[in-house]
Amino acid sequence: MSSEPPPAASSATGAEELSADLSAATLSKKQQKKDARKAEKAEKAAQRQQQQQQPVDAEDPFAANYGDVPVEEIQSKVISGRSWTQIGDLDDSAAGRSVLIRGAAQAFRPVSKKMAFVVLRQRMSTVQCVLVASADAGVSTQMVRFATALSKESIVDVEGVVSLPKEPLKATTQQVEIQVRKIYCINRAIPTLPINLEDAARSEADFEKAELAGEKLVRVGQDTRLNYRAIDLRTPSNQAVFRIQCQVENKFREFLLSKDFVGIHTPKLISGSSEGGAAVFKLLYNGQPACLAQSPQLYKQMAICGGFERVFEVGPVFRAENSNTHRHLCEFVGLDAEMEIKEHYFEVCDIIDGLFVSIFKHLTENCKKELETINRQYPFEPLKYLDKTLKLTYEEGIQMLKEAGTEIEPMGDLNTEAEKKLGRLVREKYVNSTALLCFTNLYFDNNFLCYL
Amino acid sequence: MSSEPPPAASSATGAEELSADLSAATLSKKQQKKDARKAEKAEKAAQRQQQQQQPVDAEDPFAANYGDVPVEEIQSKVISGRSWTQIGDLDDSAAGRSVLIRGAAQAFRPVSKKMAFVVLRQRMSTVQCVLVASADAGVSTQMVRFATALSKESIVDVEGVVSLPKEPLKATTQQVEIQVRKIYCINRAIPTLPINLEDAARSEADFEKAELAGEKLVRVGQDTRLNYRAIDLRTPSNQAVFRIQCQVENKFREFLLSKDFVGIHTPKLISGSSEGGAAVFKLLYNGQPACLAQSPQLYKQMAICGGFERVFEVGPVFRAENSNTHRHLCEFVGLDAEMEIKEHYFEVCDIIDGLFVSIFKHLTENCKKELETINRQYPFEPLKYLDKTLKLTYEEGIQMLKEAGTEIEPMGDLNTEAEKKLGRLVREKYVNSTALLCFTNLYFDNNFLCYL
């Protein structure tokens, strides 16, 4: 892994943890460790200083404009006050401006001794950095060599001037280049990483195109991805997926808070199974049998009974199921809501309807970049929905299925297949619409409605 | 418990669960159950209808203005379009207006055959409802009797006109009264509940005052509170505590999101202990040993290493510790943040500082009602902080302790006692200020700073 994990940010519960940790540890042991680390660091620093005193190339007048930054230099030595630009923010409007960026070196394209390209990546964005040896720019051939000899995924600082390329850039997300003036390596990655980020970010279309051209591209298998998750997380599509997840939660919370819901956190370690009982994780709590909550159901209902009227929870749910379908997971993040009903369960339908539409809208309007990023690697059809959700009664739904040749018992539940089919029928009949299927009988339970 | 738990709101993950549930269940069994339930309900409904046809009091011309609402009537029969007013929203400005409220009957004060008061509670708020028998108002003596004969904590709908009392009301939060025109019981609580809400909401001062007056008030013990948690949750202070918790999380998220953090959820079922190892919950995952995460630390760091730059998580943390101090819990909700550092760990200090101040500010400005509610039952000193947090170096902190007679090893950690003492010293010396204690040595770890 290329970047040394930065020191941990203290959490809001930090003060609590902190003192617990402190009181538990014996001071002298910690002190001994610290002293040992201090001595070790001092020795290393001395070695490094010696190395630095032997410049990379004594004849290079621009030696100060590039090089490896010793670890001591970046560990809270100075507050330079320099301003960092996010790679994703670089656009035409920045042309001519001098910027400072930090990113992972994703690709190197040496052109000649005097010229090279380095692609830096930050989050979902990449930018092309151009090195051209020139005394005016303070760039030497040694500096070009230094840049192209860096290992992939090394963390690199670049200072340079933003310029507009003559032709659109295909290999990077940002449509500007950086004319490099200074380049420093903050942390070198090991020369050969288990995953090449460019490989990990390719789409099926890329592979097909390469095959047609007689090229053979490397595929990164799922095992490799999972074994080196921290590297795989760096692909633009993974960056986008996590950001969209975060936005879904934000909008879920925002919408429900605006409807007077209270966010709660219910116990996960409980004394019995939440439901069924078969697929529950069991453990010992202080010698007594305990279970992991398969659902916050009971506690949500207690909250309603306790006078909260409307509550929601975002948190882990545990089910000891064999995770062998994409609908079964032993651990997942549940977005749960519970509300009292004043008169009619349509009140719940309205909340759910408004919730989904507001999430759809938010993603469509505010996560364009993330959706495009995922679409590049994993093409998908854009989400279609209507501002006003179609509502079907259960009978209408059953009738639509019947007309299409699927018989369901009049008051029976829909199985997965029928549910999917009904979704397709709704989409065909009502043109790109989503629908809420409402049961009209009074004997509903948890499964009383579904969003198609 | 007084209110029948309302039918569950479908969760956002509901569609997934739904189909899982559906495919697992056999349709015919469910159908059988439903049919049985249907028959049972129909029978009950018939019985009820018969009862209804015998009016409570045949001579009462206002019999339609009160009574128990049969359960069938409130189960999604009608969408009346009536508008409900929150008890907490009732103030002077509503005077003269006709309102419809729903609340739990907290107290009854019969004055005479013709007059009575009923206190209704909703969330943190209570309001006095006045019944005065009068033909003009459509209120009979039978209606007054009906109202006062309800059991405490029954769920009650009241329609009435808001009026202003001549003297300030001491027993309710709202300073208006409702002149009752109609009163219906939606759900009767059992006559004697294990907890009387008025008892459960008293402060120590209330007990002392009563004792001086020679009265003996009932104390609700912790065991009773925990055994009947859903009832105890209805006390105004519990309502307030949960609402403040929710606001802390909201502000935590809002602040960090504004600083470009991404919210993530890390695994809780993991293959080894997160730290130490002693205080970990162990269980079997598919026959293999697994642990419950004692910290999201590793996963947060993986996210940083994975290029997210700044992440946070709000979620459960599990520690198999004996929960015998208020600083040790086997399960708690952690508010965690992790960020990469560009140059100096002061970047983290600044984030934490801004985070805490923004939370303090938000609670002070936007949770006045909640804080006052808690303060009535559990008096506390108001939170004091400065907009600009004092920053002390570790040496300065140690020096302050030394001058106050507490010796700490020069580079040693602070124990709980020293930490508390330093907090008091800071408050005394810098007048109502909070402070961040920053270590100036480079060899910091998780415990590198604390908020005093």
Side-chain angles (χ1 to χ4, degrees):
Chain A
M1 254 99 1
S2 70
S3 69
E4 187 177 76
S10 174
S11 70
T13 53
E16 291 279 321
E17 279 186 43
L18 180 56
S19 19
D21 290 352
L22 292 182
S23 49
T26 58
L27 290 179
S28 55
K29 254 196 184 168
K30 281 213 167 177
Q31 192 54 41
Q32 277 171 18
K33 265 196 193 165
K34 273 187 186 166
D35 290 345
R37 263 188 287 171
K38 208 171 179 177
E40 200 187 320
K41 289 256 174 180
E43 200 183 333
K44 276 195 187 164
Q47 281 174 4
R48 281 237 175 69
Q49 212 174 8
Q50 220 178 1
Q51 281 167 4
Q52 270 185 295
Q53 280 159 359
Q54 306 164 334
V56 183
D57 191 327
E59 284 156 43
D60 185 0
F62 302 125
N65 292 346
Y66 62 96
D68 286 286
V69 181
V71 74
E72 287 77 12
E73 290 294 314
I74 52 164
Q75 274 195 338
S76 304
K77 271 271 177 70
V78 285
I79 302 172
S80 69
R82 293 179 298 171
S83 161
W84 303 80
T85 301
Q86 290 284 328
I87 290 178
D89 291 341
L90 288 169
D91 61 14
D92 294 13
S93 71
R97 255 189 22 226
S98 185
V99 294
L100 168 65
I101 58 175
R102 177 173 290 177
Q106 178 169 296
F108 306 100
R109 303 190 219 288
V111 177
S112 68
K113 268 192 171 181
K114 293 194 155 190
M115 189 177 179
F117 298 101
V118 177
V119 174
L120 285 198
R121 191 193 66 252
Q122 188 181 30
R123 304 183 184 178
M124 295 179 295
S125 308
T126 47
V127 69
Q128 179 147 291
C129 302
V130 188
L131 289 111
V132 182
S134 116
D136 285 354
V139 176
S140 59
T141 53
Q142 293 94 325
M143 180 163 159
V144 175
R145 199 168 63 222
F146 166 81
T148 52
L150 288 169
S151 47
K152 278 185 181 181
E153 293 303 307
S154 292
I155 303 298
V156 173
D157 280 2
V158 161
E159 279 181 55
V161 178
V162 179
S163 66
L164 302 178
K166 283 175 198 123
E167 283 174 32
L169 299 168
K170 280 182 193 160
T172 57
T173 59
Q174 303 314 108
Q175 291 305 307
V176 298
E177 293 178 318
I178 310 281
Q179 303 296 325
V180 179
R181 296 290 176 266
K182 292 179 181 177
I183 181 166
Y184 303 101
C185 184
I186 298 299
N187 208 328
R188 278 188 189 249
I190 55 170
T192 312
L193 289 172
I195 294 177
N196 178 346
L197 263 285
E198 282 184 315
D199 291 336
R202 290 190 218 282
S203 68
E204 275 308 312
D206 292 336
F207 285 110
E208 283 164 24
K209 218 167 114 185
E211 199 150 349
L212 284 175
E215 265 185 277
K216 185 79 187 146
L217 294 177
V218 172
R219 270 181 195 272
V220 183
Q222 197 179 37
D223 281 358
T224 309
R225 288 184 193 269
L226 293 178
N227 286 338
Y228 302 97
R229 183 76 168 141
I231 306 181
D232 190 45
L233 281 179
R234 298 181 193 182
T235 59
S237 56
N238 271 336
Q239 290 283 320
V241 164
F242 276 78
R243 287 183 155 79
I244 286 178
Q245 272 184 0
C246 172
Q247 290 303 316
V248 169
E249 179 175 355
N250 287 347
K251 203 61 204 179
F252 176 84
R253 296 177 59 90
E254 193 186 307
F255 180 84
L256 293 177
L257 288 167
S258 80
K259 299 293 180 193
D260 233 6
F261 282 70
V262 181
I264 59 171
H265 291 277
T266 64
K268 303 306 162 206
L269 272 177
I270 59 180
S271 63
S273 60
S274 314
E275 45 185 58
V280 66
F281 284 110
K282 291 178 181 168
L283 70 158
L284 282 181
Y285 166 70
N286 230 347
Q288 292 171 57
C291 295
L292 289 183
Q294 296 155 288
S295 160
Q297 190 66 16
L298 173 67
Y299 296 95
K300 284 187 311 177
Q301 288 171 341
M302 280 175 68
I304 301 307
C305 193
F308 285 96
E309 298 190 350
R310 300 178 158 199
V311 295
F312 69 84
E313 175 167 18
V314 178
V317 178
F318 304 94
R319 298 189 177 179
E321 288 167 347
N322 269 324
S323 307
N324 49 12
T325 81
H326 68 285
R327 295 193 150 200
H328 292 80
L329 283 170
C330 64
E331 179 182 355
F332 61 88
V333 177
L335 302 174
D336 266 281
E338 189 87 20
M339 62 186 271
E340 69 163 35
I341 294 174
K342 289 270 194 252
E343 289 184 339
H344 199 291
Y345 78 91
F346 277 10
E347 295 161 27
V348 181
C349 296
D350 289 342
I351 289 287
I352 293 180
D353 182 17
L355 174 63
F356 273 88
V357 170
S358 83
I359 292 175
F360 295 162
K361 206 170 213 153
H362 179 70
L363 296 184
T364 307
E365 288 170 6
N366 301 304
C367 298
K368 282 203 181 84
K369 190 172 176 180
E370 286 79 3
L371 292 169
E372 281 166 16
T373 300
I374 297 172
N375 205 25
R376 266 196 295 276
Q377 184 167 8
Y378 305 107
F380 57 86
E381 276 184 68
L383 185 64
K384 296 198 174 158
Y385 65 96
L386 296 176
D387 279 357
K388 184 141 183 48
T389 300
L390 175 72
K391 281 186 190 172
L392 292 178
T393 64
Y394 186 75
E395 280 85 352
E396 287 167 338
I398 300 301
Q399 189 57 32
M400 280 177 76
L401 279 171
K402 196 175 175 182
E403 283 166 15
T406 302
E407 284 282 351
I408 300 283
E409 281 183 75
M411 288 319 284
D413 288 327
L414 295 183
N415 60 25
T416 308
E417 206 189 320
E419 209 178 83
K420 282 184 179 173
K421 186 168 182 181
L422 188 51
R424 280 194 302 273
L425 292 172
V426 165
R427 187 152 175 169
E428 279 164 24
K429 184 164 175 187
Y430 297 96
V431 189
N432 296 331
S433 145
T434 41
L436 261 180
L437 184 67
C438 304
F439 283 32
T440 46
N441 59 336
L442 283 178
Y443 312 103
F444 53 78
D445 57 11
N446 253 351
N447 306 333
F448 69 100
L449 51 78
C450 55
Y451 210 91
L452 300 165
Chain B
M1 255 122 329
S2 70
S3 68
E4 188 177 75
S10 174
S11 71
T13 55
E16 291 278 321
E17 278 183 43
L18 180 56
S19 19
D21 290 352
L22 290 182
S23 49
T26 60
L27 290 179
S28 56
K29 254 195 184 170
K30 281 212 168 179
Q31 193 54 40
Q32 279 171 17
K33 264 196 195 166
K34 273 187 185 165
D35 290 344
R37 262 187 289 170
K38 213 171 177 174
E40 198 186 322
K41 289 254 173 182
E43 198 181 334
K44 275 193 188 165
Q47 281 174 4
R48 281 238 174 69
Q49 215 174 3
Q50 222 178 358
Q51 281 167 5
Q52 270 185 293
Q53 279 158 0
Q54 307 164 333
V56 183
D57 191 326
E59 285 157 43
D60 186 1
F62 303 125
N65 293 345
Y66 62 96
D68 286 285
V69 181
V71 74
E72 289 76 11
E73 289 294 314
I74 52 165
Q75 274 195 338
S76 304
K77 271 271 178 72
V78 286
I79 302 171
S80 68
R82 294 179 298 171
S83 161
W84 304 80
T85 301
Q86 291 284 327
I87 291 179
D89 291 342
L90 289 169
D91 61 15
D92 293 12
S93 70
R97 255 188 24 226
S98 184
V99 295
L100 168 65
I101 58 175
R102 178 172 290 177
Q106 179 169 297
F108 306 99
R109 303 190 220 288
V111 177
S112 68
K113 270 193 171 181
K114 295 194 156 191
M115 189 179 180
F117 298 101
V118 176
V119 174
L120 286 196
R121 191 193 65 249
Q122 189 182 29
R123 304 184 184 178
M124 293 179 296
S125 307
T126 48
V127 70
Q128 180 148 288
C129 303
V130 187
L131 288 110
V132 182
S134 117
D136 286 353
V139 177
S140 59
T141 52
Q142 293 93 325
M143 179 163 159
V144 175
R145 198 169 62 223
F146 166 82
T148 52
L150 289 169
S151 47
K152 280 187 182 182
E153 293 303 308
S154 293
I155 303 298
V156 173
D157 279 2
V158 162
E159 279 180 56
V161 178
V162 179
S163 66
L164 302 179
K166 282 176 199 123
E167 282 174 33
L169 299 168
K170 280 182 193 159
T172 57
T173 59
Q174 303 316 107
Q175 291 304 307
V176 297
E177 291 177 320
I178 311 280
Q179 302 297 326
V180 179
R181 295 289 177 265
K182 293 179 180 177
I183 181 165
Y184 302 102
C185 183
I186 297 302
N187 208 329
R188 279 189 189 248
I190 55 171
T192 311
L193 289 171
I195 294 176
N196 178 345
L197 261 286
E198 283 184 314
D199 291 337
R202 290 190 217 281
S203 68
E204 275 308 312
D206 292 336
F207 286 109
E208 283 165 24
K209 221 168 112 187
E211 199 150 350
L212 284 176
E215 267 185 274
K216 184 82 187 147
L217 295 175
V218 173
R219 271 180 196 270
V220 183
Q222 196 178 39
D223 280 358
T224 309
R225 289 183 192 268
L226 294 177
N227 286 339
Y228 302 97
R229 182 75 167 144
I231 306 181
D232 190 46
L233 281 178
R234 299 181 193 182
T235 58
S237 56
N238 270 336
Q239 291 283 321
V241 164
F242 276 78
R243 287 184 155 79
I244 286 179
Q245 271 185 359
C246 173
Q247 289 304 317
V248 170
E249 180 174 355
N250 288 348
K251 204 60 204 179
F252 177 84
R253 296 177 59 90
E254 192 187 307
F255 180 85
L256 294 177
L257 288 167
S258 80
K259 298 293 180 193
D260 233 6
F261 281 70
V262 181
I264 59 172
H265 291 278
T266 64
K268 303 305 162 207
L269 272 176
I270 59 180
S271 63
S273 60
S274 314
E275 44 186 57
V280 67
F281 284 110
K282 290 178 182 169
L283 70 159
L284 282 182
Y285 166 71
N286 229 347
Q288 292 170 56
C291 295
L292 289 182
Q294 297 154 288
S295 158
Q297 190 66 16
L298 174 66
Y299 296 95
K300 286 188 308 175
Q301 287 172 340
M302 279 174 70
I304 300 307
C305 193
F308 285 96
E309 300 189 348
R310 297 176 161 200
V311 295
F312 69 84
E313 175 168 18
V314 177
V317 178
F318 304 94
R319 298 189 178 179
E321 289 167 348
N322 268 323
S323 306
N324 48 11
T325 81
H326 69 283
R327 297 195 149 197
H328 292 80
L329 283 169
C330 65
E331 180 182 355
F332 61 88
V333 177
L335 303 173
D336 265 282
E338 189 87 21
M339 62 185 271
E340 68 160 38
I341 293 173
K342 289 269 195 254
E343 289 184 339
H344 199 290
Y345 78 90
F346 276 11
E347 294 161 26
V348 181
C349 296
D350 289 343
I351 289 288
I352 293 179
D353 182 17
L355 174 63
F356 274 87
V357 171
S358 83
I359 292 174
F360 295 162
K361 208 171 211 149
H362 179 69
L363 296 184
T364 307
E365 289 170 7
N366 301 304
C367 298
K368 282 203 181 79
K369 191 172 176 180
E370 286 79 2
L371 291 169
E372 281 166 17
T373 300
I374 297 171
N375 205 24
R376 266 196 295 276
Q377 184 167 8
Y378 305 106
F380 57 84
E381 276 184 66
L383 185 64
K384 296 199 173 157
Y385 64 95
L386 296 177
D387 280 356
K388 184 138 186 49
T389 301
L390 174 74
K391 281 186 190 172
L392 291 178
T393 65
Y394 186 74
E395 279 85 352
E396 286 167 338
I398 299 301
Q399 189 58 34
M400 280 177 77
L401 279 171
K402 196 174 173 180
E403 284 165 14
T406 302
E407 283 283 351
I408 300 284
E409 281 183 76
M411 290 318 287
D413 288 326
L414 295 182
N415 60 25
T416 308
E417 204 190 321
E419 211 178 79
K420 283 184 177 172
K421 185 167 182 179
L422 187 51
R424 280 195 301 274
L425 292 171
V426 164
R427 188 151 175 170
E428 279 164 25
K429 185 165 173 186
Y430 298 96
V431 189
N432 296 331
S433 146
T434 41
L436 262 179
L437 184 66
C438 304
F439 282 31
T440 46
N441 59 334
L442 282 178
Y443 311 105
F444 53 79
D445 58 11
N446 255 352
N447 306 334
F448 67 99
L449 51 79
C450 54
Y451 210 92
L452 298 166

